[in-house]
Amino acid sequence: MRKTEISELDEKIVAALERLSHVLRTLLWEEAVESRLSPIQIQSLIYLSSHDEKLCRVNQLAQEFGLTPATMSDAISSLEAKGLLAREPHPDDRRAQTLRLTAKGRRSGAKLSRWSDPLKEQLRQFPLEERERALVFLLKLIESLYRAGIISVARICLTCRFFRPNAHRDSRAPHHCALMDKPLAERDLRVDCPEHELVA
Ligand code: SF4
């Protein structure tokens, strides 16, 4: 393939990713209008309902969503005022605070986590192998963006010290997680693993 063709291909991939990012923003905005919360408040509630409390500090969320701690703190204060979360002492650091959802916040988080259902319904129409290939491609892209310093959080298998790629060649589950001591098929690769530890 000629150099110009490769560059055109890359431009098309970027344009396609931009279209998809627009779809995600639109779905999130629709949910925001319905729930009377801002998109970042929705994402915070969903994040807090699915992560260990050690990862639930204001600074952690700011890093996760690429925001300044001050902007993140404003969003958290609004959620606190609505009775959806509370600040508590962090289990590992008495000077820090962890964010914990209230019962009302947990109910909201569970409801809001369905914001991406329309996209998942479309994905289900594609063959499993095609979706697996898409997952691997996207994870490699995330790894590359992380290593280039463009994103600051990537709790994926590909950046994890426990990941052993192609440890079981010729198997349907070719990779291995040394922490869980079990083989991983490509569909098992994680996008946001709570046990992830960054490879040196
Ligand atoms: S600990 Fe999690 S991120 Fe690391 S290899 Fe195992 S499953 Fe993947």
Side-chain angles (χ1 to χ4, degrees), residues 27-194:
L27 290 174
L28 205 50
W29 266 112
E30 283 170 4
E31 192 64 52
V33 169
E34 198 178 312
S35 60
R36 301 185 183 194
L37 295 168
S38 69
I40 188 59
Q41 289 172 353
I42 292 176
Q43 286 174 303
S44 302
L45 285 178
I46 295 170
Y47 177 93
L48 293 171
S49 60
S50 57
H51 286 82
D52 188 274
E53 62 181 24
K54 288 180 185 167
L55 294 174
C56 294
R57 286 195 269 199
V58 172
N59 283 356
Q60 181 79 35
L61 266 75
Q63 198 182 23
E64 192 81 24
F65 300 125
L67 298 172
T68 64
T71 306
M72 197 66 242
S73 188
D74 286 348
I76 294 303
S77 295
S78 300
L79 292 172
E80 202 175 10
K82 291 175 201 280
L84 295 166
L85 63 79
R87 297 175 202 243
E88 294 182 358
H90 193 273
D92 296 341
D93 181 357
R94 287 188 169 275
R95 289 163 305 173
Q97 289 180 319
T98 190
L99 307 168
R100 188 190 288 272
L101 291 179
T102 59
K104 185 180 168 190
R106 280 198 298 279
R107 284 196 299 277
S108 284
K111 181 175 174 288
L112 293 168
S113 61
R114 297 199 288 268
W115 70 274
S116 57
D117 282 1
L119 182 56
K120 288 181 198 151
E121 272 167 36
Q122 298 305 313
L123 283 171
R124 274 194 283 275
Q125 298 175 18
F126 292 84
L128 198 55
E129 295 70 31
E130 218 167 301
R131 281 182 270 161
E132 274 186 337
R133 280 199 298 275
L135 174 66
V136 171
F137 171 73
L138 290 172
L139 287 175
K140 285 181 177 171
L141 183 58
I142 292 169
E143 179 193 18
S144 177
L145 290 168
Y146 177 76
R147 296 203 188 285
I150 295 169
I151 55 171
S152 57
V153 178
R155 286 188 294 273
I156 59 176
C157 289
L158 275 53
T159 61
C160 179
R161 76 182 183 93
F162 300 117
F163 186 54
R164 307 287 180 268
N166 297 310
H168 314 286
R169 285 180 197 279
D170 305 323
S171 155
R172 289 172 72 112
H175 312 301
H176 195 84
C177 171
L179 179 70
M180 297 188 284
D181 194 21
K182 75 171 206 185
L184 299 172
E186 299 206 309
R187 74 187 66 170
D188 300 325
L189 296 178
R190 293 193 180 174
V191 180
D192 186 5
C193 177

